[in-house]
Amino acid sequence: MKKSAVFLLTLLSVLAFSQKKWSLQECVNYAIENNLQVIQNSYNTQLQENSLRIAKRDYLPSVSGNINNTASFGQDRDTSGRITDSKDNFSNTANVGADILLFNHGRLEKNIRKTEFEVEASRQDLERIKDDISLQIAQQYLSVLLNREISKISISTLENADKLYQRAKITTEVGTTPQTILAEAEAALAREKQNVKTAEINTNRSLFALAMLLQLPEYKNFDIQEVPLENMLDAPLYSAENIIGKAYENQPQIKAAESRIKSAEAQTEITQTAFWPTISANAGIGTSYFSLFNAGTDINGNKIKQSGFFKQYKDNFGQQIGLLANIPIFNKGITKIQVEQSKINEDLARNALLQQKQQVLQNVQQAQFDAESNYESYLAAVESAKSSQLALDFAEKSFAAGRSTVYDLNSARNNYANAQGSVAQAKYNYLFSMKLLNFYAGIPLSL
C-alpha cells in the first residue's frame, strides 16, 4: 500500500512537471536556488562568515587543563654518580590554566574588521554569479521565444504553400496549367515542410540549452510560457551617461572590489601592530600526587607512611597568576617589509577596482550601442517586411489574374517570410539589449 502511494506521488510529480510552463522569473529563481556554481560560492561565503565568527571569539580567554600520570622503574644515581636503590614510583599532576590577551594595539579589532570586509566581498561575488546566470537565462529564454515565432512564420508559409499546391493540382488535372506549375508548387511545399521541421528543431534545441542552464534532471518535458510582446517597440530610454553612475553603485563586482580595498587597508593596520608590544595575563590552579611503590623503612626501622591521594591533592593544591609582555626589539626588518607588501596589496586592490569600473563602463556602453543599433535594425526590418508584404499582395493578385508565374509568387512569399524572420530576429536582439541596459540601470529582469 505504501509503495503504491509513493509511486502515485512520484507519477503525479512527473506529470505536474511535464505540464508546467516556466516563466522567466521561475527559471531565474530555480537557477539561483539550484545551480551548482551558485551553491559552491554560497559555501565559500559560509566559510568566510565562520572565519568572522572565529575572529570575534579571539577576545575570549583560552582555558585548558591537563593531567599527567608518570610511573618510574629501575635504579637511579645520586649526585655523586653512585647507583642507588630502586625508587619505583608513581606521580600524578593536574592543573587548569587560562590566558587572555590584554593589549596588542587593536590587532583583534582590526582583524575582525578585515574579516567583515572579506565576508562582504564574498557575498558580492555570489551576487555577481547570480546576475551572470540570470542574464544567460534571460538571453536563452528569449532565444526560445524567437525560434517559436520563426516556427509560426514557417507554419504560416507552409499553409500558403499547401494552398498553392492544392490549387495547382486541381488546375493541372483539368488542363488549365502545365505540369511544370504543379511540380514547382510541390517543390515549394517540400521546401516549406523542411523549413518548418528546421524551425521546430531549433526551438527544441534552444529549449534544451535553457534546460541545461537550469541543470534540470529531466529536459524532454521542459517548456516555457508564451509571452505576448508588442509588435512595435519603443526606443531606448537610457543612455550610458545616465546609467553608469547607478551601475557603479549597484553592480556587485564594484562592491566586491571596494570591500577588498578596505580589507587590504585593514591588513596593513594588522601588520603594523607587530611593531607594538603584546601584553597577556595568565592564571592557573594545580595539584599533584606522588607515591613510592616500595616505600621502605626509616632509620628506626619503621615503615614509611605515605599520604593518600586525596590528602596530597589537598595539601599540594596551589594557584598562580602571571603577566607576560612580549616586546619586539629586532626581527631583521621583516615587519617593515611586510608593511610595505601590505601597502602594495592596497594598490593592487585599488587597481582591481579601476579595472572593474572600466569593465562595467565598457559593458554599459556596449549595451547602449547594441540597443540603439538593434532598434535601428528592427525599424529597418519592419519597413522591409511592409514592402515585402505589399510585393506579395501584388504577386498574389497578378498570379490570380494569370499575369505572373508560380515562380514569381513563391519568390515573393519567400521574400516576405525572410523579412518576417528578420523582424523577429531584430526584435528579440533589441529586447535582450534593452533588458541588459535596464539591468545595469538597476531594473530587475522581467518579460
Side-chain angles (χ1 to χ4, degrees):
M1 184 66 182
K2 290 184 179 179
K3 292 183 178 179
S4 300
V6 171
F7 174 77
L8 180 60
L9 289 174
T10 304
L11 180 62
L12 290 175
S13 299
V14 173
L15 290 174
F17 180 84
S18 63
Q19 295 171 358
K20 176 182 177 61
K21 291 184 181 293
W22 295 57
S23 66
L24 174 60
Q25 192 59 51
E26 287 174 331
C27 290
V28 170
N29 292 342
Y30 181 89
I32 289 175
E33 292 176 4
N34 299 278
N35 185 274
L36 295 179
Q37 190 177 5
V38 173
I39 293 173
Q40 179 178 346
N41 278 270
S42 67
Y43 288 147
N44 292 335
T45 301
Q46 292 177 27
L47 289 175
Q48 291 291 345
E49 290 172 347
N50 280 338
S51 296
L52 177 59
R53 293 172 59 193
I54 292 173
K56 290 180 177 179
R57 288 173 181 263
D58 280 340
Y59 278 116
L60 301 176
S62 298
V63 180
S64 62
N66 66 75
I67 298 176
N68 182 30
N69 295 290
T70 304
S72 298
F73 302 92
Q75 294 178 328
D76 199 0
R77 292 180 183 271
D78 60 16
T79 56
S80 301
R82 293 176 298 182
I83 297 176
T84 61
D85 294 336
S86 172
K87 298 294 182 181
D88 298 345
N89 63 79
F90 171 79
S91 63
N92 167 272
T93 60
N95 60 72
V96 176
D99 62 84
I100 185 169
L101 185 66
L102 299 179
F103 175 81
N104 64 348
H105 198 59
R107 183 183 184 91
L108 296 184
E109 183 274 331
K110 290 168 178 136
N111 187 52
I112 290 174
R113 186 153 45 87
K114 171 183 176 291
T115 310
E116 286 175 341
F117 293 136
E118 291 174 347
V119 169
E120 179 60 24
S122 179
R123 288 172 180 168
Q124 295 303 325
D125 289 340
L126 178 60
E127 290 303 314
R128 179 178 183 178
I129 291 175
K130 290 180 180 180
D131 287 346
D132 290 344
I133 291 175
S134 299
L135 289 174
Q136 292 176 35
I137 290 173
Q139 185 175 25
Q140 193 59 45
Y141 198 98
L142 289 173
S143 178
V144 176
L145 296 178
L146 167 61
N147 285 315
R148 280 188 172 168
E149 189 162 334
I150 292 176
S151 292
K152 293 176 182 177
I153 295 172
S154 299
I155 291 172
S156 177
T157 306
L158 173 61
E159 292 173 351
N160 290 328
D162 184 62
K163 291 177 183 178
L164 181 61
Y165 169 73
Q166 297 299 333
R167 177 181 175 183
K169 185 177 181 181
I170 294 173
T171 56
T172 301
E173 288 176 353
V174 299
T176 306
T177 55
Q179 189 70 31
T180 54
I181 298 297
L182 177 61
E184 173 57 27
E186 187 174 2
L189 179 63
R191 285 194 299 270
E192 296 308 325
K193 286 181 178 179
Q194 182 183 8
N195 290 338
V196 168
K197 179 55 67 174
T198 300
E200 180 183 342
I201 292 173
N202 288 337
T203 300
N204 291 335
R205 182 179 286 112
S206 57
L207 272 172
F208 172 78
L210 180 56
M212 293 300 98
L213 274 177
L214 294 173
Q215 299 178 349
L216 295 176
E218 171 59 44
Y219 69 88
K220 292 184 178 179
N221 296 317
F222 173 70
D223 201 1
I224 66 172
Q225 295 178 357
E226 293 289 342
V227 180
L229 301 174
E230 297 294 335
N231 289 327
M232 289 302 297
L233 305 178
D234 296 327
L237 299 177
Y238 301 103
S239 65
E241 293 75 13
N242 298 332
I243 292 175
I244 191 62
K246 292 183 179 179
Y248 285 162
E249 294 176 2
N250 299 327
Q251 288 302 295
Q253 59 266 43
I254 299 294
K255 294 180 180 180
E258 291 172 343
S259 293
R260 289 192 168 95
I261 290 176
K262 296 176 182 177
S263 174
E265 292 172 344
Q267 180 59 53
T268 299
E269 295 178 5
I270 292 172
T271 306
Q272 289 172 335
T273 61
F275 288 118
W276 292 77
T278 299
I279 300 175
S280 58
N282 61 76
I285 57 175
T287 188
S288 63
Y289 168 78
F290 180 83
S291 174
L292 289 171
F293 293 141
N294 185 12
T297 59
D298 57 18
I299 56 176
N300 298 320
N302 299 320
K303 185 176 181 180
I304 297 175
K305 293 183 179 181
Q306 301 184 85
S307 300
F309 180 84
F310 292 104
K311 187 176 188 309
Q312 287 194 40
Y313 252 50
K314 180 180 178 181
D315 294 341
N316 297 334
F317 182 79
Q319 308 87 33
Q320 59 88 18
I321 186 170
L323 190 66
L324 174 66
N326 186 355
I327 302 173
I329 298 175
F330 177 71
N331 71 339
K332 310 171 190 177
I334 293 176
T335 300
K336 182 179 179 181
I337 297 174
Q338 289 174 336
V339 171
E340 292 175 356
Q341 288 178 324
S342 293
K343 290 184 178 297
I344 293 173
N345 287 330
E346 288 183 33
D347 293 335
L348 288 173
R350 293 188 186 98
N351 188 67
L353 174 61
L354 294 177
Q355 289 180 346
Q356 291 297 338
K357 285 188 174 182
Q358 181 65 28
Q359 185 62 54
V360 169
L361 175 61
Q362 292 177 356
N363 291 343
V364 172
Q365 290 174 335
Q366 183 69 50
Q368 181 194 10
F369 177 83
D370 290 342
E372 293 174 349
S373 300
N374 290 333
Y375 183 69
E376 295 298 325
S377 297
Y378 170 72
L379 294 180
V382 169
E383 290 301 317
S384 177
K386 289 180 180 178
S387 299
S388 298
Q389 185 176 24
L390 183 61
L392 176 59
D393 292 339
F394 284 131
E396 288 177 341
K397 293 176 182 178
S398 179
F399 179 77
R403 292 194 299 271
S404 63
T405 66
V406 68
Y407 303 100
D408 298 327
L409 179 58
N410 282 332
S411 177
R413 282 182 174 170
N414 287 335
N415 290 338
Y416 179 58
N418 291 334
Q420 286 180 302
S422 297
V423 170
Q425 182 73 56
K427 178 173 67 174
Y428 282 98
N429 286 344
Y430 173 68
L431 277 174
F432 178 73
S433 58
M434 278 301 298
K435 293 301 175 185
L436 189 58
L437 201 59
N438 291 342
F439 167 77
Y440 286 119
I443 301 175
L445 291 171
S446 63
L447 283 178

